[in-house]
Amino acid sequence: MELPINKFNKAFENRIRLGVMSILMVNDWVDFGTLKEMLDLTDGNLASHIKALEAEQYIEINKRFINKKPNTSYRATFLGRNAFKEHLNVLENIIKQNE
Amino acid sequence: MTQIEDLKEIRNLMEKSSRFLSLSGMSGIIAGIAALLGAAYAWWFISNIEMLNYAVNPILILFIDALVIFIIALFAGVYFSWRKAIKQGVPFWGKTSKRLLINFLIPLVTGGIFCLFLIYHGYYLMIIPATLIFYGLALVNASKFTYADTYYFGLSEIILGLLASFFNGYGIWFWGIGFGVLHILYGIVIYFKYDYGVANK
């Protein structure tokens, strides 16, 4: 049997990426400002992690203008949702093994 | 263990981003007390209706009675939840509260309009059951966007409403239990489960 630790998803190793995905799992489109506020982060910090998730195609991006101000929203892709669920299973297995 | 902390953080973020968790238990308690007083007044009014000999329509008096309770409950609800949101450091009028309100209002407004038609057609005995049933449906619908406890509160209101539809004529008692006693109970549960901790943090 393959050890669950081998399947540990590197993309979610980081707490911030995990946080972004957690929020996107239970919401539809969420904008940058809301993510920043929820996770209590700076612009630059959040942006770099979002880029990483985007590179994995775990999230998709929608840019638009609201009252002439740019507004960027994010949504978890099908791929991202599955990867996140898989990651949750791995976390659960590790906890079970340690019990 | 970091995995347990990860899961806790995931759960916390999922709840915080999708549910409005600033509803205050105190609002429920005050709304319940107002409802009981209102029901007591209505009961007294109905039992003395021949003695009083009002020049105005008794339906209008009862309508004003209900309106006053509604306004007190609404103000208590908004005020205490607004204060709790400030304490928690979350926006009172945000994405989660808007979503909660819309999902709560769809069954509620439907019920309100339905009750107006009941009045129009003279089905007075079905008004109280209808208010309980539609309020319960609104709570069940809203429960996905706030405390999960709201679900059971809503179910209780629906059951009471169905009982009231069958036991016609005891409407005021069902109304007092549904909008008075249940509100107070729900308020106490919310207060001790979620508010008490916030106040002492």
Side-chain angles (χ1 to χ4, degrees):
Chain A
M1 199 187 108
E2 194 186 3
L3 272 176
I5 196 82
N6 296 340
K7 287 197 283 180
F8 206 83
N9 195 329
K10 283 267 193 275
F12 298 132
E13 228 171 15
N14 179 286
R15 269 280 169 86
I16 295 170
R17 284 177 223 168
L18 201 61
V20 171
M21 283 307 288
S22 305
I23 294 171
L24 295 181
M25 283 300 282
V26 289
N27 288 283
D28 202 18
W29 291 98
V30 179
D31 65 18
F32 190 86
T34 309
L35 286 176
K36 205 177 91 171
E37 201 177 295
M38 287 267 167
L39 297 162
D40 205 10
L41 294 170
T42 60
D43 281 14
N45 205 353
L46 178 59
S48 69
H49 289 295
I50 278 178
K51 250 181 211 146
L53 287 171
E54 197 192 346
E56 298 277 353
Q57 295 187 318
Y58 285 174
I59 58 174
E60 55 183 306
I61 293 178
N62 178 28
K63 284 186 183 168
R64 56 182 180 154
F65 285 86
I66 297 176
N67 297 329
K68 291 180 184 171
K69 276 188 202 155
N71 180 288
T72 313
S73 296
Y74 306 90
R75 181 164 72 172
T77 60
F78 184 70
L79 190 72
R81 287 181 171 274
N82 278 338
F84 187 81
K85 281 179 197 157
E86 190 60 36
H87 184 73
L88 283 186
N89 288 336
V90 174
L91 286 181
E92 268 179 20
N93 281 338
I94 294 172
I95 291 167
K96 269 183 204 154
Q97 283 184 357
N98 282 318
E99 259 170 14
Chain B
M1 201 163 40
T2 59
Q3 286 81 19
I4 290 180
E5 275 161 31
D6 278 1
L7 284 180
K8 267 188 195 157
E9 178 70 8
I10 290 167
R11 192 194 155 93
N12 175 32
L13 280 168
M14 282 181 165
E15 289 222 312
K16 202 167 84 172
S17 66
S18 65
R19 291 171 187 263
F20 182 68
L21 301 175
S22 306
L23 281 188
S24 155
M26 198 53 84
S27 326
I29 296 170
I30 290 177
I33 292 170
L36 281 182
L37 292 175
Y41 174 76
W43 183 74
W44 175 84
F45 177 76
I46 292 166
S47 22
N48 295 299
I49 204 155
E50 277 136 26
M51 250 169 54
L52 295 167
N53 219 346
Y54 277 101
V56 279
N57 189 346
I59 293 288
L60 185 70
I61 297 278
L62 292 175
F63 183 76
I64 291 169
D65 181 34
L67 195 69
V68 170
I69 300 166
F70 176 73
I71 290 169
I72 293 172
L74 190 72
F75 268 90
V78 170
Y79 176 70
F80 286 101
S81 301
W82 171 69
R83 268 194 14 184
K84 189 172 166 187
I86 290 177
K87 268 187 204 160
Q88 291 172 320
V90 299
F92 173 70
W93 187 237
K95 218 173 163 181
T96 50
S97 51
K98 278 179 202 161
R99 205 155 40 173
L100 170 66
L101 196 69
I102 286 188
N103 283 281
F104 179 63
L105 283 182
I106 292 170
L108 199 72
V109 171
T110 310
I113 296 168
F114 183 73
C115 287
L116 289 179
F117 290 137
L118 288 179
I119 294 173
Y120 177 76
H121 292 295
Y123 297 118
Y124 297 116
L125 285 176
M126 292 316 275
I127 294 170
I128 283 176
T131 56
L132 286 166
I133 289 169
F134 281 100
Y135 186 55
L137 290 172
L139 289 171
V140 167
N141 206 37
S143 68
K144 287 166 233 128
F145 306 99
T146 182
Y147 306 112
D149 312 67
T150 312
Y151 179 77
Y152 298 100
F153 179 32
L155 278 189
S156 317
E157 297 282 4
I158 294 171
I159 292 166
L160 266 183
L162 290 175
L163 286 173
S165 333
F166 182 74
F167 297 105
N168 244 317
Y170 298 94
I172 195 112
W173 296 102
F174 284 107
W175 202 89
I177 296 168
F179 288 99
V181 179
L182 281 187
H183 262 130
I184 295 172
L185 285 179
Y186 174 75
I188 290 172
V189 169
I190 296 296
Y191 183 80
F192 282 106
K193 253 177 119 169
Y194 310 102
D195 299 5
Y196 197 62
V198 173
N200 288 306
K201 244 174 210 167

